[in-house]
Amino acid sequence: MLALYLVAMLLNAGMQTASMGMDYGAVRQWIAGQYPLFFMGSFIFFFLLLAAASIVRNVYGGTALVAAVTALTGTAVYQKMKATGEPLFPWDLLQLKNAGEMASMTRGMFSPLVIVLTLVVVGSFGFLVFKLPKLRFPLVLRVVFAVCSITGIFFFVHIMESKDSTLLNKISYEDIFWDQKQNYQYNGFVIAFASNLTGSMMAEPDGYSKEAVEAIAAKYASIPDAEPAASPAEAPNIVFVMNEAFFDLTRVTDYKLSEDPLPFLHEASKTKPSGYVLSPEFGGSTANVEFEALTGLTNYFLNDGSVPFQQNLTKQTDLPSIVSILKQRGYAALALHPFDKTFYSRNTVYPMLGFEKFTSSKEMPNREYLSSRSYVSDMAAMKEAVRELKEQEKTGKPAFLHLVTMQNHFPYTNKTIHGMNTVRAAGVASEYTDQVETYAEGIKHTDGALSYLSSAIQQLGRPTVVILWGDHLPGLPAKVYDDAGWTDERLRHETPLLVLSNYEVGSKPLGTLSPSFIGPEIFSFAGQKLPAYYKLLHEVKTAMPGLNKKVLLGPEGKVGEPTAEQQALLDDYKMIQYDLLEGKGYAKESMFD
């Protein structure tokens, strides 16, 4: 038993090392400063070891099983921290159903040496297990240990769920749900991970009630309709294009590119409405950006690390969105994503939001790739979007089409993923030059696809407006950004935003705005009246166009603390968001007509 607990301590220390970026010194300091939390986390591993030994009927075999799972989890923790700067959350495990797709995404991120060493260590461990004596527990002890393990783990989870202050205070636990990085660094991986097992995404605001929600609904419903930015002859097609990792690399002026990879974007931005999206994410978590754009809700109010598509929307039966609003107004609702439709549970979330048809890579009649190792190209995705719009014209109904591309998804370690690189980058550290050039080649192809889309919509019979934005900056190595001094949080979250159309929409700059405000913005360009909910979003956008946990933007740029007027708007916004996500849904009947 003592030996098993010592192994449990080693596994706990190993997991903590992975979550701290393999910084052994930091781990030693954490254990010395938070030893009650460390011992508590080690007890969880101890119970897992006991359970495994009871199930496989062999102490060594059970230990090997738990160690192998811990090693794989630790690798995932380390790679996620390295790629996105975020720890592993319980809801990330839902992506295990997409293990094959995840493997293809991370291909090339592990060096051959690391893979070989891992295989050698695992093989050696397996050999030792085979050679060591078959140390087994008697049946009675197996049953006792299994019961103790289940009871211990259940008790631990119950404590974390109820946040029992008596015991948690004794082990110096701090409930830092609003800052998950700090939560994991202070409480340790095991305790922090467990603390997220049953937590809600946001706390109930003070004064939440049906009367409070109805008062907010009435306030914004009474706001007069604003003059739209455009007046198309008939209800136009509305197209969202959320382009994977689409970022204007020429803004990083410390790196010199041999050519402009985005000539169409730069030229179009001079004559069409354009600006930047202030993404809530950096380097990943596409679904959180999509969540904001489709629902108008914001990650700003959610607990750090939340993924609504995984944690909340799969449990809902309906949630008002731009999809449902436009469906009520006679629109067909189409979704297009050239990848596996189960990723981020889109196959469940999209129908719940109101989409009638979801085309994934499997349903695309023409899948084109830039190389044998790439994702479906942006050009193929744009062509499929145009094809579906043409098909929809035959019905006489306008369409809302939401396209999420995949071409520029990381990793960029395979320099042939976009074909041969033709864009050269100077000033980049030599070990990362290929990755920067590979990314530049990808957005060059994206620019060509956007040029095609702009021309193609001119040939459609129905007025059509397209709003394009990048979901987040690319997941390039951190040193690429650090070496270029690209550390300002606003810059690290700004991606291009552009409006294309086949009718007059003007050229007024859009500035920088959060994805949550894309809905009311595109309604204005489409000549659509704003429901009460979009009037609320418009008021918030006017006062605070950029809502991000790292940086807040007011009309004149960055702000520190919101003013009293801004805070009042945010309080209304938060009340409605809680009502829709965690509350009773009173606003569904009064704010979305």
Side-chain angles (χ1 to χ4, degrees), residues 5-231:
Y5 187 74
L6 291 175
V7 172
M9 292 174 66
L10 288 173
L11 294 177
N12 190 17
M15 185 63 76
Q16 190 64 23
T17 302
S19 70
M20 288 185 160
M22 308 307 288
D23 187 339
Y24 303 102
V27 174
R28 285 196 299 271
Q29 289 181 4
W30 177 79
I31 293 174
Q34 304 288 5
Y35 61 86
L37 289 166
F38 174 69
F39 287 133
M40 173 64 85
S42 298
F43 266 113
I44 300 308
F45 276 102
F46 175 70
F47 287 134
L48 291 174
L49 289 167
L50 270 186
S54 300
I55 292 170
V56 304
R57 300 188 300 170
N58 187 302
V59 176
Y60 297 124
T63 300
L65 177 62
V66 175
V69 173
T70 302
L72 290 172
T73 306
T75 302
V77 169
Y78 175 72
Q79 288 297 332
K80 188 184 180 192
M81 284 293 297
K82 186 177 177 182
T84 67
E86 289 190 339
L88 189 76
F89 301 109
W91 42 90
D92 289 331
L93 300 182
L94 295 173
Q95 295 294 63
L96 287 175
K97 66 181 185 294
N98 302 107
E101 290 80 6
M102 291 294 292
S104 69
M105 284 182 176
T106 55
R107 186 183 298 143
M109 293 181 68
F110 301 96
S111 70
L113 177 61
V114 170
I115 295 174
V116 170
L117 287 175
T118 302
L119 292 175
V120 168
V121 171
V122 172
S124 300
F125 200 77
F127 180 75
L128 284 174
V129 170
F130 179 76
K131 286 293 186 181
L132 286 170
K134 301 298 184 285
L135 182 57
R136 302 176 186 275
F137 291 134
L139 178 60
V140 174
L141 278 182
R142 284 174 54 205
V143 173
V144 171
F145 290 152
V147 171
C148 289
S149 299
I150 294 170
T151 303
I153 293 172
F154 176 81
F155 180 65
F156 173 72
V157 172
H158 174 71
I159 289 173
M160 298 310 304
E161 178 180 2
S162 62
K163 301 293 190 292
D164 187 294
S165 59
T166 304
L167 179 58
L168 294 180
N169 284 342
K170 287 183 178 180
I171 64 172
S172 302
Y173 169 79
E174 293 287 344
D175 188 16
I176 317 174
F177 64 86
W178 62 88
D179 186 343
Q180 289 294 343
K181 287 184 184 178
Q182 184 63 23
N183 183 19
Y184 277 70
Q185 288 177 7
Y186 180 86
N187 293 309
F189 177 85
V190 175
I191 305 297
F193 186 88
S195 72
N196 285 307
L197 285 172
T198 56
S200 62
M201 293 192 302
M202 62 182 296
E204 180 177 323
D206 294 336
Y208 173 68
S209 66
K210 182 178 182 180
E211 292 73 22
V213 171
E214 289 178 344
I216 293 172
K219 181 200 307 187
Y220 292 97
S222 66
I223 295 177
D225 294 328
E227 188 71 24
S231 301

Side-chain angles (χ1 to χ4, degrees), residues 8 15 96 139 196 225 249 322-323 352 360 457 477 486 572 576:
M15 185 63 76
L96 287 175
L139 178 60
N196 285 307
D225 294 328
L249 193 58
I322 189 172
V323 191
M352 184 275 299
S360 69
I457 62 174
W486 204 256
D572 288 348
I576 299 303

Side-chain angles (χ1 to χ4, degrees), residues 214-480:
E214 289 178 344
I216 293 172
K219 181 200 307 187
Y220 292 97
S222 66
I223 295 177
D225 294 328
E227 188 71 24
S231 301
E234 58 180 334
N237 294 321
I238 297 175
V239 181
F240 276 11
V241 178
M242 192 171 79
N243 201 277
E244 172 62 36
F246 188 54
F247 167 63
D248 186 353
L249 193 58
T250 65
R251 297 185 79 196
V252 187
T253 55
D254 281 26
Y255 300 143
K256 306 300 180 185
L257 304 179
S258 60
E259 62 178 278
D260 180 0
L262 301 172
F264 172 78
L265 176 72
H266 291 150
E267 192 61 32
S269 296
K270 297 176 183 177
T271 58
K272 304 179 187 303
S274 63
Y276 297 99
V277 155
L278 187 70
S279 173
E281 301 295 340
F282 176 83
S285 299
T286 294
N288 282 357
V289 187
E290 189 175 9
F291 162 74
E292 289 201 2
L294 291 175
T295 67
L297 304 175
T298 174
N299 289 274
Y300 178 72
F301 296 133
L302 301 183
N303 296 338
D304 196 26
S306 296
V307 183
F309 268 39
Q310 304 280 44
Q311 294 173 262
N312 182 282
L313 271 59
T314 53
K315 304 173 186 176
Q316 300 253 27
T317 55
D318 67 283
L319 181 69
S321 66
I322 189 172
V323 191
S324 60
I325 294 170
L326 289 174
K327 275 183 68 176
Q328 290 177 0
R329 299 182 180 188
Y331 275 71
L334 315 174
L336 171 58
H337 178 48
F339 198 59
D340 189 300
K341 63 170 53 179
T342 66
F343 219 71
Y344 281 120
S345 301
R346 287 187 176 95
N347 60 320
T348 301
V349 172
Y350 279 0
M352 184 275 299
L353 290 176
F355 284 108
E356 302 163 311
K357 179 184 177 184
F358 178 15
T359 303
S360 69
S361 56
K362 287 185 177 179
E363 291 81 37
M364 286 180 63
N366 297 299
R367 296 186 294 273
E368 301 169 2
Y369 303 86
L370 298 177
S371 80
S372 60
R373 298 285 295 276
S374 65
Y375 301 102
V376 173
S377 70
D378 280 2
M379 181 63 82
M382 305 293 181
K383 287 180 178 179
E384 176 61 22
V386 172
R387 187 190 73 79
E388 293 196 16
L389 290 173
K390 288 180 177 179
E391 284 293 314
Q392 186 58 38
E393 282 190 340
K394 298 175 184 178
T395 70
K397 291 175 61 176
F400 170 68
L401 189 148
H402 172 58
L403 166 61
V404 180
T405 71
M406 275 297 290
Q407 175 191 288
N408 295 317
H409 198 286
F410 78 85
Y412 314 107
T413 50
N414 178 1
K415 64 180 181 180
T416 64
I417 193 170
H418 299 135
M420 295 305 296
N421 293 341
T422 60
V423 182
R424 301 297 172 216
V428 186
S430 58
E431 63 266 36
Y432 302 122
T433 300
D434 283 347
Q435 292 193 52
V436 173
E437 291 179 351
T438 298
Y439 176 73
E441 186 68 23
I443 60 174
K444 177 181 177 180
H445 285 282
T446 296
D447 193 71
L450 294 180
S451 178
Y452 159 79
L453 180 63
S454 180
S455 298
I457 62 174
Q458 308 304 320
Q459 310 307 314
L460 296 176
R462 178 175 288 274
T464 300
V465 59
V466 178
I467 189 161
L468 157 90
W469 72 97
D471 59 350
H472 51 70
L473 269 68
L476 291 163
K479 195 171 187 300
V480 171

